Amino acid sequence: MPFTTEQFLRVFESYNHAVYPAQFALIILALISVYLTIRARPSSSRLIAVLLAAQWAWTGVVYHLAFFTRINRAAYIFGLLFIAQAALFIFAGLRRKLIFRARMDRIGIVGAGFIIYALLIYPALGLLSGHVYPRSPTFGVPCPTTIFTFGLLLWTERRVPLYLLLIPFLWSLMGLSAALVLGVSEDIGLFLAGVTGTSLILLRNTLPPSSNVHTVRAAIKVIVKPLI
């Protein structure tokens, strides 16, 4: 790591002071996204894609480029990647590649768990770890935003385009280094969300387009059956 834990937490402190109360606005946007998946309408999915794009663009421009670059030059690359992810969500939303709808099958329950983790459990674990506001990662910085994204992507009815998974998955792998090296234990959830979420989405993508079955067991059968 080109920076210390103290420098890392100081970035959060500067960021939180500078953008307050935008953190709460970002949480509200996230809750609106959840509401739209529950009260799904024909135009809801496009709006959810736009809201996700706004969150990723915010993280790329405001957090990475404006603040994280102070201690890590790689943040210029991270910022561009997050902005690119925002553009991909806009592209997928306009082309109707994503249909969001809250679901309580097995995969949907995992998605709900990721959403709850990002909004509630993540900050709670941070507090227990001694990361007290403003020296704490709030919603809108990369890790909780990525966890929340995986939760919503598990609440989709169509196959998720693979180009939407690459950047979130890669960032989830980087989150493990923050958890182990910098002591940000709440980021272990990011790693688990990335690996589990990507695996479940890839499994579900193997189902026939006309299938209404979205369980882990059914997805595994589709893959394993030809091998038996």
Side-chain angles (χ1 to χ4, degrees):
M1 287 289 181
F3 50 85
T4 65
T5 301
E6 174 62 24
Q7 290 174 313
F8 190 49
L9 295 177
R10 208 176 295 158
V11 167
F12 289 129
E13 183 177 15
S14 299
Y15 164 86
N16 284 321
H17 279 312
V19 306
Y20 179 86
Q23 301 96 326
F24 298 102
L26 292 167
I27 292 174
I28 291 172
L29 291 180
L31 293 175
I32 290 173
S33 298
V34 173
Y35 173 79
L36 290 173
T37 64
I38 297 172
R39 304 286 293 179
R41 297 290 186 271
S43 60
S44 296
S45 292
R46 285 187 176 184
L47 182 53
I48 294 169
V50 169
L51 292 175
L52 280 174
Q55 292 170 9
W56 280 76
W58 170 275
T59 306
V61 174
V62 180
Y63 175 77
H64 279 306
L65 297 182
F67 288 91
F68 197 30
T69 51
R70 299 176 184 180
I71 62 171
N72 188 4
R73 291 189 175 183
Y76 287 106
I77 298 174
F78 301 155
L80 293 176
L81 288 174
F82 271 67
I83 294 169
Q85 183 69 27
L88 291 174
F89 275 123
I90 293 291
F91 175 78
L94 291 177
R95 298 198 63 185
R96 297 184 181 277
K97 295 293 185 179
L98 292 171
I99 301 297
F100 293 95
R101 188 181 298 274
R103 50 191 328 108
M104 285 296 107
D105 54 21
R106 294 182 184 182
I107 291 181
I109 290 172
V110 175
F114 291 163
I115 291 170
I116 294 171
Y117 187 95
L119 295 174
L120 296 176
I121 300 176
Y122 187 96
L125 289 178
L127 188 62
L128 292 174
S129 300
H131 304 146
V132 180
Y133 182 88
R135 293 165 62 89
S136 62
T138 52
F139 191 80
V141 301
C143 297
T145 299
T146 304
I147 297 170
F148 178 79
T149 299
F150 275 114
L152 282 187
L153 289 177
L154 288 172
W155 277 3
T156 52
E157 291 195 333
R158 292 182 183 175
R159 298 178 181 182
V160 175
L162 296 183
Y163 59 77
L164 290 177
L165 296 177
L166 180 59
I167 294 173
F169 176 71
L170 291 177
W171 188 259
S172 71
L173 298 183
M174 295 193 64
L176 185 61
S177 64
L180 299 179
V181 179
L182 299 174
V184 186
S185 57
E186 55 266 41
D187 281 351
I188 294 176
L190 170 63
F191 174 74
L192 295 176
V195 173
T196 305
T198 300
S199 300
L200 290 177
I201 291 169
L202 292 178
L203 285 170
R204 191 181 60 187
N205 280 359
T206 63
L207 293 171
S210 59
S211 175
N212 291 321
V213 181
H214 294 276
T215 65
V216 178
R217 182 180 299 177
I220 293 175
K221 284 183 179 179
V222 171
I223 296 176
V224 173
K225 187 175 181 181
L227 303 178
I228 299 177

